[in-house]
Amino acid sequence: MSSIKGLEVALTDLQSSWNNVRHRTEEISSNRLLVRRGQAFNITLFFRNRAFQPGLDNIIFVTETGPLPDLPKGTRAVFSLASHRGPSPWIASLQAIGANSLEVSLCAPPVAAVGRYLLKVHIKSLQGPVTAYQLGEFILLFNPWCPEDAVYLESEPQRQEYVMNDYGFIYQGNKNWILPCPWNYGQFEENIIDICLELLDKSLNFQIDPATDCALRGSPVYISRVVCAMINSNDDSGVLNGNWGENYSDGTSPTEWMGSVAILKQWHATGCQPVRYGQCWVFAAVMCTVMRCLGIPTRVITNFDSGHDTDGNLIIDEYYDNTGRILENKKKDTVWNFHVWNECWMARNDLPPGFGGWQVLDATPQETSNGLYCCGPASVRAIKEGEVDLNYDTAFAFSMVNADCMAWLVFGGKEQKLHQDTNTVGNFISTKSIQSDERDDITEDYKYAEGSLQERQVFLKALEKLKAGRSPGSLRAEWRPRSVPLSDSPRSLATPSLQPSNVVQVSLKFQLLDLPDMGQDIRFVLLALNMSTQFKDLKVNLSAQSLLHDGSPLLPFWQDTAFITLSPEEAKTYPCKIPYSQYSQYLSTDKLIRISALGEEKSSPEKILVNKIITLAYPSIVINVLGAAIVNQPLSIQVVFSNPLSEQVEDCVLTVEGSGLFRRQQRVLIGVLKPHHKASLTLQTIPFKSGQRQIQANLRSNKFKDIKGYRNIYIDFGL
C-alpha cells in the first residue's frame, strides 16, 4: 500500500470582501482582510494534491503580531483545528470540507492585541514531514459589537455615530454664540488605517520596548494614552505642532483645516514630520479619526469657558487694570473661551466598579502626565463625583469644568479683589447628537447643577483630595497647590457668595444690538440698573481687546469712559460702537473681542467688573448639489461664496473635501475678490461610496482664513 502524501496548500482565500462586510470594515477595503476581535471570520484553504482527511491530517494555525511575537505575551498564538479547546484563547473550527478545499472559521479572543497580524499554518499528516505555509496578513481591530470586548457599546445608533460616522461638527464660538464647525473625520478613507498603525509604531513606548508595547495593545486604556501622546508632537514625532500665537506663515492656520485626512496623509507623506499647525479642536478631531478607525467609540466634546488651572487649587486668577482691560497673566492660569477634547467609551477594569463608560482624553499639550504630554483616560463619572485621585489625570480634567474664577484689580503695585458675577468655568458642554445635526448638551454628565448642595459637596471633596494626596500618575506631578483658606473659594462657603449687586447695589450688563458680522461696526449697549433707594453716581471705564483662543489678551484698541447718574431703581443704557476700521487690524485669527467695563460708585470703595466675549461671524459658503447623487455616477457640485469685507482681498483659495465623494482635497486658486463680491464655482466628481455623506468647504484669503460651509448629501446605491 502506497503511503499517503502530505497535504499541500496551493492557495488561500481570506474571503476579505465577505468577512469585511460582516465585521463592518468594508468601507476601509474589500480586498484585504480587516476583522474585529471576538467575532469569527472564515477562510478557505485549497489543496494541491488531495482532500483534507479529519482523522489523518492535523492543521495548526499560528497568528503573530509585532516584531517579536511571543506566546507568553500573547502576541503569538498556536491553535489547532481539533474540536477540543486547546490552551490558546484563539479558536479555529471546521466549516466545510470540499473535494480539494477546506473552509475554516477563526476567531480572535476579545482581549487580543489590535494591529497587523501574520497568519500561518502547519500541517502534520501521519507520515511525511510537517509543512508550514504563510497564508497572508490581516488587521485586527477593537469590536464595540462584542459584549466581551472592553469597548462594547450596547446601542446600535450610538455605535453608528461614534464608530461608523465619518463626519461631524465641532462646536466653537462662545457660550452666547455656539457655532458648529463641520469636520471630515474620514476614518475609513484609503490608507488611514495604515497611518493609524504607523502612529502606534512611532510612539516612544514602541521605540523603547516594542515587544511589551505590542502585548499591551489589547487594552483600550493603554492604546488611548499612546494615541493621545502621539497626536501632539511635544515628546515624539507626533502628528501636529501646536501654535497659539499669531503667525502661521510657515504652515496652515489651525482655523483653516476642515478634516483629519489631509493632516494624517501629510504626516505620513513627510516621513512623520509634525504637521503645522493645530489647536485644541484639531488635536481632538484627529484623535477622533484614529480612535474610530481602530474601533473605539469616540466623540468630540467642547467645553465653553474652560479652566486651565496650573497650580491645582481650583481657583483661576484673572488680573485687570483700572481701565477694565485684562492683563497678561503671571501664573498662566487662564480661562479658554472654549476647549475641545475627546471622550472614548471603554470599561475601566483598573478602577473601582462604576467608572467605566465615557472617558476624557485630551490630546492638546497643556501639562505632562507621567512625563508625557497626554491627558486621560479620566472617567467622566469620576469627574462628576469629585474622585480626582483616580487614574488618569482626573484632577486636571475636573478643574477644566469646575474651577472658580477670581478677579483682581492691579493698581499701584497692589492687588484688590473685584466683585464679579460668579464667572463659572465649564458651561454648555457640547457634542454632536446621535444621527442628527443637532447639538447635545452633556454638562450634567460632568457636574451636578450649579449652586446645588451636591455640586458644592463634590467641589469640597475634590479640593480636600487635591490637598491631601499627591499620588503619582493620578495628579499632575508638577502641581504645588498653595493652601487655600476656605473662605477664599466662593463655593466653599455655606452661604452663596456675595454678588456685586449686594454690595454696590448696582448691576452692569452688556447687550449686543445686532449680530456681530465681520466687516460691520459692532454696536452694543451697557445696561446699568440701580437696585437701591439712593441716587448713584457711576464712573465706568470701558475697553475692548482681542483675545487669543487660549484666553491670552492682546493690547486694547478701543477705550471709553461713561459717567452715569441713576435715580433710585432707575435703569439706563449707554450706547457704544466699535467701527470696523478700528478693530479690523487688531483682530486675532480667533476673531474674538472681549469688551469689559469696570465701574465704581462715588460713595463706595467697591468696584464692579463685567465683561463679554464677542465672536465675529462670517457669512457661510453655500453648497448646492446639482442633480441626483448616485454612486459611481458623475455629480456636479456648485459652491457659492463671497467676500464679506468692504475692501479687496487677495490670495483667495477655496478648498473642498468630503469622504466618499472626493478622493483627495480639492483646492481652487481664486485670486482676488473685490469688496462684497459674490462668486460661484462648479466642481465635478464621481462619488465612490453610498450612504449619508457630507461636503465641507473653506475659503481663505490674505484677510481671513476660515469662511466655511457644508452640505449633507445622500448618495444612492444606484443599480
Side-chain angles (χ1 to χ4, degrees):
M1 179 181 154
S2 67
S3 69
I4 290 179
K5 277 229 168 90
L7 201 55
E8 292 177 32
V9 176
L11 191 71
T12 313
D13 178 8
L14 295 180
Q15 301 191 26
S16 300
S17 179
W18 188 87
N19 284 318
N20 290 4
V21 169
R22 275 149 193 77
H23 285 253
R24 301 172 179 85
T25 60
E26 77 276 15
E27 281 223 0
I28 302 177
S29 173
S30 56
N31 51 24
R32 52 183 183 147
L33 183 60
L34 297 121
V35 293
R36 299 185 185 277
R37 57 192 199 170
Q39 185 179 339
F41 60 97
N42 288 5
I43 64 165
T44 309
L45 304 180
F46 293 93
F47 303 113
R48 183 167 281 128
N49 51 346
R50 62 177 176 82
F52 169 76
Q53 295 181 19
L56 187 68
D57 302 311
N58 186 15
I59 293 186
I60 294 167
F61 290 97
V62 179
T63 57
E64 296 178 341
T65 185
L68 299 159
D70 182 47
L71 268 173
K73 279 194 153 80
T75 47
R76 181 171 196 263
V78 179
F79 51 108
S80 80
L81 192 52
S83 55
H84 63 85
R85 287 278 182 100
S88 171
W90 289 68
I91 302 164
S93 53
L94 199 89
Q95 292 293 102
I97 301 176
N100 68 335
S101 68
L102 174 68
E103 189 173 12
V104 181
S105 162
L106 306 178
C107 187
V111 294
V114 300
R116 216 180 283 281
Y117 277 79
L118 210 52
L119 178 63
K120 301 173 180 176
V121 68
H122 295 177
I123 299 178
K124 276 185 191 162
S125 299
L126 280 179
Q127 292 113 336
V130 175
T131 50
Y133 299 90
Q134 195 160 305
L135 301 182
E137 271 196 1
F138 64 94
I139 289 173
L140 188 67
L141 300 172
F142 288 100
N143 192 354
W145 285 267
C146 168
E148 286 77 47
D149 196 307
V151 302
Y152 174 64
L153 187 56
E154 206 175 345
S155 141
E156 178 61 18
Q158 287 193 329
R159 293 187 294 234
Q160 287 301 321
E161 182 66 56
Y162 302 136
V163 182
M164 302 303 289
N165 199 353
D166 61 9
Y167 67 86
F169 299 97
I170 300 171
Y171 296 95
Q172 299 182 1
N174 67 63
K175 67 181 171 201
N176 306 311
W177 191 79
I178 295 176
L179 174 72
C181 170
W183 196 271
N184 176 20
Y185 295 117
Q187 68 268 32
F188 303 129
E189 291 297 281
E190 204 179 0
N191 301 118
I192 292 296
I193 179 65
D194 304 291
I195 297 171
C196 293
L197 296 177
E198 178 180 26
L199 189 128
L200 297 179
D201 288 350
K202 283 282 179 259
S203 75
L204 290 180
N205 300 39
F206 182 86
Q207 304 293 325
I208 293 162
D209 182 355
T212 304
D213 175 73
C214 288
L216 290 168
R217 287 185 186 178
S219 156
V221 172
Y222 178 78
I223 288 265
S224 64
R225 268 181 86 70
V226 169
V227 172
C228 193
M230 278 302 296
I231 298 295
N232 66 67
S233 59
N234 286 43
D235 311 291
D236 41 48
S237 49
V239 178
L240 280 157
N241 251 335
N243 184 341
W244 287 267
E246 284 287 88
N247 182 9
Y248 309 110
S249 56
D250 57 348
T252 300
S253 162
T255 53
E256 240 178 274
W257 300 112
M258 50 185 176
S260 310
V261 178
I263 295 169
L264 287 164
K265 285 189 169 175
Q266 184 182 324
W267 178 75
H268 168 75
T270 57
C272 308
Q273 292 298 306
V275 175
R276 301 174 180 153
Y277 285 105
Q279 285 181 10
C280 64
W281 67 93
V282 189
F283 291 113
V286 174
M287 178 145 183
C288 181
T289 296
V290 174
M291 299 306 266
R292 285 185 184 179
C293 184
L294 294 173
I296 299 177
T298 303
R299 56 191 191 179
V300 175
I301 309 295
T302 301
N303 178 36
F304 290 94
D305 298 334
S306 189
H308 185 125
D309 170 28
T310 51
D311 51 8
N313 60 2
L314 296 184
I315 290 183
I316 290 172
D317 297 300
E318 295 188 320
Y319 299 92
Y320 293 81
D321 71 7
N322 60 353
T323 66
R325 76 164 168 145
I326 190 168
L327 302 170
E328 188 72 65
N329 189 323
K330 306 187 284 287
K331 280 215 320 278
K332 283 295 171 205
D333 272 14
T334 46
V335 176
W336 294 36
N337 198 39
F338 64 86
H339 182 48
V340 182
W341 58 72
N342 298 99
E343 282 179 6
C344 298
W345 181 271
M346 64 190 74
R348 289 297 302 268
N349 301 324
D350 56 322
L351 298 182
F355 293 104
W358 290 116
Q359 311 289 318
V360 168
L361 283 134
D362 187 353
T364 300
Q366 301 186 70
E367 307 278 331
T368 60
S369 169
N370 286 354
L372 282 182
Y373 276 95
C374 82
C375 173
S379 158
V380 172
R381 166 107 198 282
I383 294 166
K384 182 168 183 172
E385 301 300 338
E387 303 293 348
V388 293
D389 47 353
L390 294 181
N391 282 347
Y392 291 85
D393 312 305
T394 310
F396 188 74
F398 183 89
S399 72
M400 292 198 288
V401 297
N402 273 306
D404 272 330
C405 258
M406 198 66 79
W408 301 87
L409 175 66
V410 180
F411 190 62
K414 288 204 283 291
E415 293 175 7
Q416 174 193 345
K417 194 187 291 187
L418 287 169
H419 282 279
Q420 149 183 56
D421 289 312
T422 316
N423 178 354
T424 45
V425 159
N427 292 299
F428 297 104
I429 303 175
S430 303
T431 192
K432 177 189 177 299
S433 279
I434 300 168
Q435 296 176 321
S436 103
D437 288 354
E438 296 303 305
R439 179 181 73 86
D440 253 0
D441 191 301
I442 55 167
T443 311
E444 64 178 26
D445 292 359
Y446 280 84
K447 49 189 186 178
Y448 290 100
E450 286 288 349
S452 68
L453 186 62
Q454 280 165 307
E455 183 242 10
R456 194 146 302 187
Q457 287 167 339
V458 165
F459 189 81
L460 284 174
K461 182 208 285 188
L463 205 53
E464 284 307 310
K465 281 180 185 270
L466 281 173
K467 285 182 191 170
R470 284 284 168 266
S471 57
S474 58
L475 290 175
R476 304 294 184 168
E478 320 75 286
W479 281 9
R480 294 283 174 273
R482 52 169 205 245
S483 63
V484 183
L486 282 182
S487 61
D488 212 31
S489 163
R491 299 197 191 181
S492 56
L493 300 170
T495 55
S497 62
L498 285 173
Q499 298 290 352
S501 47
N502 300 14
V503 182
V504 194
Q505 293 185 299
V506 169
S507 146
L508 293 178
K509 192 180 171 190
F510 282 119
Q511 202 170 0
L512 282 171
L513 292 175
D514 17 48
L515 271 176
D517 284 332
M518 180 63 83
Q520 307 297 317
D521 298 345
I522 301 170
R523 301 188 316 123
F524 58 97
V525 293
L526 178 68
L527 299 170
L529 171 66
N530 181 2
M531 291 176 286
S532 76
T533 50
Q534 282 94 40
F535 278 88
K536 294 279 180 183
D537 264 335
L538 295 183
K539 177 191 175 188
V540 185
N541 288 323
L542 298 134
S543 71
Q545 61 197 125
S546 278
L547 285 187
L548 298 185
H549 162 68
D550 65 3
S552 39
L554 304 178
L555 290 172
F557 54 80
W558 173 86
Q559 283 176 327
D560 190 10
T561 306
F563 294 94
I564 305 171
T565 307
L566 295 169
S567 316
E569 299 183 349
E570 186 188 11
K572 273 188 181 169
T573 61
Y574 180 82
C576 306
K577 182 172 90 167
I578 307 175
Y580 171 69
S581 58
Q582 192 162 0
Y583 71 76
S584 60
Q585 66 263 43
Y586 294 103
L587 214 49
S588 70
T589 45
D590 302 294
K591 306 184 297 295
L592 295 177
I593 291 176
R594 178 180 191 135
I595 47 176
S596 43
L598 187 64
E600 49 189 318
E601 203 272 320
K602 264 188 188 161
S603 60
S604 161
E606 303 295 342
K607 294 185 169 57
I608 321 162
L609 174 69
V610 58
N611 50 52
K612 187 178 187 74
I613 289 180
I614 297 170
T615 307
L616 288 152
Y618 289 122
S620 301
I621 293 174
V622 175
I623 300 170
N624 298 313
V625 177
L626 312 175
I630 299 166
V631 77
N632 297 327
Q633 300 286 321
L635 179 66
S636 297
I637 292 160
Q638 182 193 44
V639 185
V640 184
F641 53 93
S642 61
N643 171 12
L645 306 180
S646 41
E647 55 186 312
Q648 177 171 298
V649 295
E650 293 160 21
D651 311 325
C652 295
V653 180
L654 180 73
T655 317
V656 180
E657 63 181 79
S659 286
L661 285 149
F662 299 100
R663 290 203 184 266
R664 61 187 59 83
Q665 220 183 35
Q666 308 293 303
R667 297 177 81 92
V668 186
L669 304 175
I670 307 287
V672 173
L673 277 177
K674 300 222 172 321
H676 300 294
H677 181 72
K678 191 172 186 177
S680 91
L681 194 85
T682 302
L683 298 170
Q684 307 291 330
T685 189
I686 298 177
F688 53 95
K689 288 181 181 177
S690 59
Q692 190 66 45
R693 303 284 158 195
Q694 190 182 71
I695 304 165
Q696 300 91 3
N698 185 74
L699 178 68
R700 71 151 207 239
S701 73
N702 62 336
K703 298 276 182 198
F704 49 75
K705 291 286 175 265
D706 58 331
I707 293 188
K708 291 194 175 348
Y710 71 92
R711 179 66 185 260
N712 290 353
I713 171 173
Y714 189 84
I715 311 289
D716 273 318
F717 197 74
L719 304 174

